[in-house]
Amino acid sequence: MQLVGDRGQLLAEGLARIQREVDRTFDELMPVPGDTRARLVEAMRYAAIGGGKRVRPLLLCATAGMYGVSREAAVRCGCAVEAIHVYSLIHDDLPCMDDDDLRHGKATVHRRFDEATAVLAGDSLHAFAFEILSMPETASDPFVRAELVATLAAASGMGGMAGGQMMDMAAATQEYDLHAITRLQQLKTGALLSAAVEMGAVLGRVPGEGRAALRNYARDIGLAFQIADDLLDHEGDESKAGKALRKDAEQGKQTFVTLMGIDKARHQARALVEQAVGHLAPYGAEADMLRALARFIVERDR
Amino acid sequence: MQLVGDRGQLLAEGLARIQREVDRTFDELMPVPGDTRARLVEAMRYAAIGGGKRVRPLLLCATAGMYGVSREAAVRCGCAVEAIHVYSLIHDDLPCMDDDDLRHGKATVHRRFDEATAVLAGDSLHAFAFEILSMPETASDPFVRAELVATLAAASGMGGMAGGQMMDMAAATQEYDLHAITRLQQLKTGALLSAAVEMGAVLGRVPGEGRAALRNYARDIGLAFQIADDLLDHEGDESKAGKALRKDAEQGKQTFVTLMGIDKARHQARALVEQAVGHLAPYGAEADMLRALARFIVERDR
């Protein structure tokens, strides 16, 4: 990826910092126990530490940072969102789901460990996300903790990520049009990205009515993110992506690229990013990281 | 099962009532959507509605009832605990885990639907538990909601149910002694049963220092419950149990029965129940349902 100018610098530093912070926080919060659960926690750590772009934690921290939230609290919440993301990858990679061997350039959890351990490691990371959110160290105000949990649970369940994953599974046999694909991806990918932004606003005690611009921003980058993913799946380099590509096409699934064509999809992703950045017009320099992240989403090569 | 006298009457009515309430609440909270997520929600409903003894919701409601908590709030929390229990059964039954075909006398979710749907239905019920707990309708006080989430998340993750399940998987190759089996079962089964009692106390706003007797009660019935399960697994009737039995022995796993023998195990379960009931001595008739439940746990035939 080519990062140019101040924006590129800001983003590169932001990504490097959040990757360090997320790794360190997961490391601290997941010590390996001295009994036969060790293998479970090792699998959780294998999946959660040292991989991934950490887009969701950065979205959360960048939003929370606009409102002066303590970085530590924001990073912990970011780890909760990331734990949900990681658990979903572990389960999606299972033989009965996408049957993938490679993730972030290394063997998937069920290949490195075994299927049963992968199921349980996913389940444990799922519960762990809510454990993190319910710790007073994450947010001293119980009202904030309760709202964080409500936001994350809604984004990850049947009305969010898991529901979107189910629609995606049906995509192999179902003829989806652009409207249906948009809805599917808003659930599968968009819900959790939106939750990251929303949770940053919750930590920042932004009242519901003050979150409209941030929500519009999150919705647009969520869609742009998925179009960019479809483009990468179509054109990308497997060694850079660190995972198998072109699986949607093999399974006969419709994607933004199959429905719109490459050029129109790329144009649409860029237009969505500009629209997302436009929603941030009310904010000053404090929103620069969100602006940089929006552009990163369509420019990334993995 | 033979239920005799007033105690039997109280319990039979309590079980019948909670079974109706849990089924009705799940039915209301899980409407089938009009899109391709329908199959997912149908699988969740298939697993969650119309099966199971509902011991955990009854424990929660019986405890909450001692402190005048609204029945509706207690039932909703009971459904959250039960959703965790049901999700764990779906995942435990998967081919890569216990590979079971039968649960509550009907086909397991992966047999009735498919493996991928079973994984996702479990994941969705997992998130759903936390969605229920974070609804203001469940508890209007956010402090209570936050504490409910903290209790349930801790009981279901690597430090509770999922951790116990991992230790259990290792039991096929590991030589566990009575101490290790006790620890394993405290995590695998005890943690969620204890959480049900604890959450009843949380709803009842019992301060932490006032929960010692209830916690001791819960710990003892948790262990008695598992010994009774091992006895049923050893001696029980598959048609009544509605699931395959004697799988532990097939896998060469140590259980309370293999380690203690049938007679000593039965004696131990009964002693634990008497001890549990003893912990309730400070309470009057308001704890009668908890007393009846304790005895049911060792007398049940499924």
Side-chain angles (χ1 to χ4, degrees):
Chain A
M1 179 184 48
Q2 290 292 355
L3 291 168
V4 282
D6 290 349
R7 173 161 62 79
Q9 177 82 7
L10 180 73
L11 182 74
E13 286 173 7
L15 283 168
R17 181 182 178 194
I18 194 73
Q19 286 162 9
R20 276 196 312 273
E21 290 168 322
V22 168
D23 281 348
R24 199 198 59 230
T25 307
F26 276 141
D27 179 49
E28 285 170 9
L29 294 176
M30 284 192 278
V32 179
D35 55 34
T36 49
R37 288 174 301 158
R39 185 176 167 86
L40 172 65
V41 181
E42 278 159 11
M44 295 166 72
R45 293 174 60 93
Y46 175 81
I49 299 175
K53 299 177 290 292
R54 314 303 193 188
V55 166
R56 292 156 194 80
L58 184 52
L59 269 175
L60 197 155
C61 288
T63 307
M66 291 167 61
Y67 302 96
V69 173
S70 103
R71 181 77 183 186
E72 201 195 330
V75 169
R76 292 175 75 105
C77 284
C79 283
V81 180
E82 194 71 1
I84 294 287
H85 175 58
V86 173
Y87 115 67
S88 78
L89 296 179
I90 298 174
H91 283 186
D92 287 358
D93 287 340
L94 284 169
C96 68
M97 306 274 281
D98 289 347
D99 194 14
D100 275 309
D101 297 332
L102 211 60
R103 169 72 65 181
H104 298 144
K106 56 185 188 181
T108 47
V109 176
H110 67 273
R111 297 284 288 174
R112 169 69 180 72
F113 294 82
D114 56 81
E115 270 185 70
T117 301
V119 170
L120 280 175
D123 291 344
S124 299
L125 281 164
H126 193 168
F128 182 56
F130 295 104
E131 285 185 80
I132 296 174
L133 293 186
S134 54
M135 290 174 183
E137 296 88 335
T138 301
S140 57
D141 182 342
F143 192 87
V144 169
R145 293 204 295 277
E147 199 176 351
L148 291 170
V149 169
T151 306
L152 191 57
S156 58
M158 59 184 158
M161 190 184 70
Q165 178 64 16
M166 191 71 198
M167 294 178 78
D168 192 39
M169 277 167 42
T173 54
Q174 199 93 10
E175 276 297 308
Y176 285 135
D177 60 12
L178 200 53
H179 177 79
I181 288 284
T182 302
R183 167 86 180 131
L184 182 167
Q185 297 298 357
Q186 273 171 344
L187 295 177
K188 190 181 169 209
T189 317
L192 204 57
L193 290 165
S194 287
V197 171
E198 188 85 14
M199 289 164 73
V202 169
L203 278 179
R205 295 164 182 276
V206 184
E209 61 273 18
R211 297 180 201 164
L214 290 169
R215 285 176 180 163
N216 289 333
Y217 162 85
R219 190 199 56 226
D220 288 341
I221 62 158
L223 214 46
F225 188 93
Q226 189 55 48
I227 297 175
D229 242 28
D230 286 353
L231 282 162
L232 280 171
D233 189 65
H234 201 80
E235 307 183 307
D237 179 335
E238 293 201 352
S239 67
K240 278 185 190 162
K243 63 180 177 183
L245 298 178
R246 282 164 281 280
K247 299 199 67 167
D248 284 343
E250 282 169 26
Q251 294 172 41
K253 287 183 185 176
Q254 299 289 7
T255 70
F256 286 114
V257 173
T258 62
L259 288 166
M260 305 170 90
I262 291 181
D263 290 345
K264 201 167 162 216
R266 184 171 293 118
H267 175 81
Q268 178 72 3
R270 287 185 182 146
L272 281 164
V273 165
E274 291 315 311
Q275 188 170 299
V277 171
H279 291 305
L280 301 176
Y283 303 102
E286 75 274 20
D288 276 354
M289 185 67 86
L290 289 184
R291 293 184 185 101
L293 245 173
R295 297 205 164 97
F296 167 68
I297 275 171
V298 291
E299 290 166 15
R300 68 199 162 94
D301 57 8
R302 66 180 183 102
Chain B
M1 180 185 46
Q2 291 290 356
L3 291 168
V4 283
D6 291 347
R7 172 160 63 80
Q9 178 82 9
L10 180 72
L11 182 73
E13 287 173 6
L15 283 169
R17 181 182 178 196
I18 194 72
Q19 285 161 10
R20 276 196 312 274
E21 290 169 321
V22 167
D23 281 349
R24 199 200 57 228
T25 307
F26 276 142
D27 179 49
E28 285 171 8
L29 294 177
M30 283 192 279
V32 178
D35 55 35
T36 48
R37 289 173 302 158
R39 185 175 167 86
L40 172 65
V41 180
E42 279 160 10
M44 294 166 72
R45 295 174 59 93
Y46 175 82
I49 299 175
K53 299 177 288 292
R54 313 301 194 188
V55 166
R56 292 156 193 80
L58 184 52
L59 269 174
L60 197 155
C61 288
T63 307
M66 292 166 63
Y67 303 96
V69 173
S70 104
R71 181 79 182 184
E72 199 195 332
V75 169
R76 292 176 73 106
C77 283
C79 284
V81 180
E82 193 71 1
I84 293 287
H85 176 58
V86 172
Y87 115 65
S88 79
L89 296 180
I90 298 174
H91 283 187
D92 287 359
D93 287 340
L94 285 169
C96 68
M97 307 274 280
D98 290 347
D99 194 13
D100 274 309
D101 297 333
L102 211 61
R103 170 71 65 181
H104 299 143
K106 57 184 187 180
T108 46
V109 176
H110 67 274
R111 298 283 290 172
R112 169 69 180 72
F113 294 83
D114 56 81
E115 272 185 67
T117 302
V119 170
L120 280 176
D123 291 343
S124 299
L125 281 164
H126 193 167
F128 183 55
F130 295 104
E131 284 184 81
I132 297 174
L133 293 186
S134 55
M135 289 175 184
E137 296 88 335
T138 301
S140 57
D141 182 343
F143 193 87
V144 169
R145 294 205 295 278
E147 200 176 351
L148 291 170
V149 169
T151 306
L152 190 58
S156 57
M158 58 184 160
M161 190 184 72
Q165 178 65 16
M166 191 70 199
M167 293 178 79
D168 192 37
M169 277 167 41
T173 54
Q174 199 91 11
E175 276 297 307
Y176 284 135
D177 60 11
L178 199 54
H179 176 80
I181 288 285
T182 303
R183 167 84 181 133
L184 182 167
Q185 296 299 358
Q186 273 171 342
L187 294 177
K188 190 181 168 208
T189 318
L192 204 57
L193 291 165
S194 287
V197 172
E198 187 85 15
M199 288 163 73
V202 169
L203 277 179
R205 293 164 183 277
V206 184
E209 60 274 19
R211 298 180 201 165
L214 290 169
R215 285 176 180 163
N216 289 334
Y217 162 85
R219 191 200 53 227
D220 288 342
I221 62 158
L223 214 44
F225 188 92
Q226 189 56 48
I227 297 175
D229 242 29
D230 286 353
L231 282 162
L232 280 171
D233 189 65
H234 201 80
E235 307 183 308
D237 179 334
E238 294 202 352
S239 67
K240 277 186 188 162
K243 62 180 177 183
L245 297 177
R246 283 165 278 282
K247 300 199 64 168
D248 283 343
E250 283 169 25
Q251 294 172 39
K253 287 183 184 175
Q254 299 288 8
T255 70
F256 287 114
V257 172
T258 61
L259 288 166
M260 306 171 87
I262 290 181
D263 289 346
K264 201 168 162 216
R266 185 173 292 116
H267 175 80
Q268 178 71 3
R270 286 183 183 147
L272 280 164
V273 164
E274 291 315 312
Q275 188 170 298
V277 171
H279 292 304
L280 300 176
Y283 303 102
E286 75 274 20
D288 276 353
M289 186 66 86
L290 289 184
R291 294 184 184 100
L293 244 174
R295 297 204 163 95
F296 167 68
I297 276 170
V298 291
E299 290 167 15
R300 68 201 162 93
D301 58 7
R302 68 179 182 100

